[in-house]
Amino acid sequence: MSVRLDGTVVQDIPITECAKIIRKELKKAFPDMAFSVRSHSYSMGCHVSVHWEDGPTCESVDQKISWISGRTFDGMDDSTHYHDTEWNGRKVHFAGSSPSTSRTVTKYKEKRALAEGLLESMCVVETTPHGYKMFGNQYLSNLADRVVYQQDYVKGESMTETIERVVF
C-alpha cells in the first residue's frame, strides 16, 4: 500500500501479479487460445510481454489487456507519466507500462502469397517502372503483410473477408 501526497491510499500491484491478471483476462476473453505471458524486471523498469500463434489480432488482445498499466510514455515531450487505476472497487497502481503483444502467423509465406494473389485479383494493380506492384500509393507486398497480420483466426475470418475489412 502507498499513500499519495493528497492522502489517497493506493495498492501497488507488482509486475508478477500484473502477469497473473493478464493471464486471467486473456483466458476469459479467448478461452481456447494458448498465450505465453512473461514478466520482465530490469534496472529502472519492468513490463509484461504476451505472445501467441495465429488466433486473435494484436489489436483484439490489446483491447483486453492494455488497461493493466501503471505507466505511459509521451513521445511529444519525451516524458513518462505514472497513473493509478480503479480496479475491483479500489485504487491500484500496476507496475510497468502497457503489456507488449506479438503474434506469430504460422505458414506465413503461404498466407502472404495467397493474400498477394487475392489482392491482385480484387484490386487495380499497377506496376512501377522498377517492377514494384502498387495498389494506389501502397506496395502490394506491404498490403499483403497487413492482410496476413490483420486476419482474425479466432473469428474464422477468411482471407477475402480480411481484405474487404482492411483494404476497402
Side-chain angles (χ1 to χ4, degrees):
M1 294 285 195
S2 299
V3 179
R4 300 290 185 249
L5 291 175
D6 65 0
T8 306
V9 177
V10 178
Q11 180 181 356
D12 294 311
I13 309 290
I15 198 67
T16 53
E17 290 301 312
C18 292
K20 290 177 186 177
I21 294 165
I22 288 170
R23 280 188 198 96
K24 286 179 186 175
E25 291 294 317
L26 291 173
K27 194 63 165 169
K28 189 169 40 174
F30 309 103
D32 298 327
M33 281 299 306
F35 291 91
S36 169
V37 180
R38 300 283 180 256
S39 61
H40 308 275
S41 296
Y42 40 86
S43 174
M44 302 298 289
C46 57
H47 77 279
V48 174
S49 61
V50 179
H51 183 77
W52 66 100
E53 272 189 6
D54 297 328
T57 63
C58 287
E59 290 79 14
S60 297
V61 171
D62 288 339
Q63 287 175 356
K64 301 295 181 188
I65 63 172
S66 64
W67 61 271
I68 304 168
S69 166
R71 180 180 71 207
T72 53
F73 179 76
D74 184 346
M76 291 297 289
D77 61 7
D78 197 28
S79 64
T80 301
H81 301 273
Y82 297 89
H83 50 85
D84 301 326
T85 304
E86 195 72 33
W87 181 60
N88 285 346
R90 63 183 193 262
K91 195 92 145 158
V92 299
H93 178 79
F94 293 110
S97 54
S98 294
S100 62
T101 57
S102 64
R103 173 175 84 154
T104 299
V105 175
T106 58
K107 298 183 180 178
Y108 168 77
K109 287 182 180 179
E110 292 92 341
K111 290 176 182 173
R112 187 173 181 278
L114 174 62
E116 206 162 320
L118 284 170
L119 284 164
E120 282 192 79
S121 69
M122 297 170 71
C123 305
V124 176
V125 176
E126 297 177 4
T127 304
T128 68
H130 299 291
Y132 295 107
K133 294 178 181 177
M134 305 284 291
F135 172 62
N137 64 350
Q138 298 181 61
Y139 290 104
L140 199 65
S141 57
N142 293 349
L143 201 51
D145 283 337
R146 245 181 63 217
V147 167
V148 170
Y149 281 106
Q150 290 293 318
Q151 189 171 10
D152 194 329
Y153 301 102
V154 170
K155 294 179 181 174
E157 186 176 54
S158 72
M159 187 73 70
T160 303
E161 291 170 327
T162 305
I163 288 171
E164 289 171 355
R165 179 174 53 83
V166 172
V167 178
F168 301 114

